[in-house]
Amino acid sequence: MPLIPEEPQIHESVPGPRATPAAGRTAQTPRPVPGPGPRPAPPRGAPASSARPGKPGPAAPPRGPVPAPPVQRTDSPQPPVAPTGTAAGPQLQLIPAPAGGAVDAADEAVDLLLDSGRAPGEILVLTTGENHPWATHELSFGAASYWAQQDAADDVFYADAGAERVTGRPVVVVAVNDGNDANDANDDVTARALPAALARAGALLIVCGDPERINAVLGAHA
């Protein structure tokens, strides 16, 4: 389904299903206070008291034995359990940008995500062309320390979209900064990078690049 280009405005609704800005996690629904359950049947021949433990006051007149609740049938059909997570896949957002400005657009998207409450460790930034300057800088200290930062998951991680060692995160931002045309999708690096990024995104995929080119790729994998 073609994506409609949007302005790079990421509000609370953009980072996907989040109810609170705390660390980007969905707030737990308050548990309902359980009501009083069925009263247990008193021993045969003993009167039942209606006074609750710990509650002062006179006891009500004795009542007859209270019948025990019916035994639940284990073979009766049970209601289906609602699935958790995002079974329909991550939310998609397109930020129009030329190839030369895709990295800047991705950086702006990351800033807006952080401002909206997303934790840095939930964000992955991928580039289809040249590496992000952060990735280039960190790789200069060696691959071991670079990939260790991905495993630590305590900050935004930047990587090449074609790197096999990249793991998924709740939010994936892709900068389509390679200069290829969309004329031959079989040879276009974007045609391989975007489906892989979609599979890595848990809740939200943001793609910064040429809308026509991106829609052509994502539409083929819809």
Side-chain angles (χ1 to χ4, degrees), residues 5 9 27 34 42 56-57 60 63 77 95 126 149 193 199 212:
Q9 298 178 356
R63 302 186 306 172
I95 299 179
L126 303 174
Q149 297 184 60
E212 182 179 355

Side-chain angles (χ1 to χ4, degrees), residues 130-210:
E130 294 183 0
N131 280 338
H132 189 280
W134 183 93
T136 301
H137 177 266
E138 294 300 322
L139 281 169
S140 65
F141 297 103
S145 62
Y146 169 75
W147 290 109
Q149 297 184 60
Q150 173 183 245
D151 299 336
D154 55 5
D155 203 351
V156 181
F157 190 72
Y158 300 80
D160 184 346
E164 296 182 357
R165 292 183 60 177
V166 175
T167 57
R169 290 196 177 185
V171 180
V172 176
V173 182
V174 182
V176 184
N177 62 331
D178 62 286
N180 294 344
D181 296 328
N183 295 331
D184 188 357
N186 293 327
D187 295 332
D188 188 2
V189 64
T190 306
R192 300 186 299 271
L194 291 186
L198 184 64
R200 292 185 174 110
L204 175 65
L205 173 64
I206 301 175
V207 185
C208 307
D210 177 63

Side-chain angles (χ1 to χ4, degrees), residues 2-202:
L3 297 176
I4 300 175
E6 300 180 9
E7 294 296 329
Q9 298 178 356
I10 302 176
H11 302 289
E12 180 62 25
S13 60
V14 174
R18 286 197 315 106
T20 62
R25 297 184 180 178
T26 304
Q28 295 290 337
T29 303
R31 292 186 178 181
V33 179
R39 298 176 183 269
R44 183 178 299 276
S49 174
S50 61
R52 297 195 180 196
K55 293 270 188 177
R63 302 186 306 172
V66 179
V71 179
Q72 183 180 6
R73 295 179 56 186
T74 57
D75 57 347
S76 59
Q78 301 296 323
V81 179
T84 58
T86 53
Q91 178 184 351
L92 305 179
Q93 181 178 349
L94 170 62
I95 299 179
V103 172
D104 291 337
D107 287 340
E108 183 178 355
V110 170
D111 290 339
L112 293 173
L113 286 166
L114 296 175
D115 291 342
S116 68
R118 279 287 178 183
E122 295 182 339
I123 303 173
L124 169 67
V125 179
L126 303 174
T127 54
T128 62
E130 294 183 0
N131 280 338
H132 189 280
W134 183 93
T136 301
H137 177 266
E138 294 300 322
L139 281 169
S140 65
F141 297 103
S145 62
Y146 169 75
W147 290 109
Q149 297 184 60
Q150 173 183 245
D151 299 336
D154 55 5
D155 203 351
V156 181
F157 190 72
Y158 300 80
D160 184 346
E164 296 182 357
R165 292 183 60 177
V166 175
T167 57
R169 290 196 177 185
V171 180
V172 176
V173 182
V174 182
V176 184
N177 62 331
D178 62 286
N180 294 344
D181 296 328
N183 295 331
D184 188 357
N186 293 327
D187 295 332
D188 188 2
V189 64
T190 306
R192 300 186 299 271
L194 291 186
L198 184 64
R200 292 185 174 110

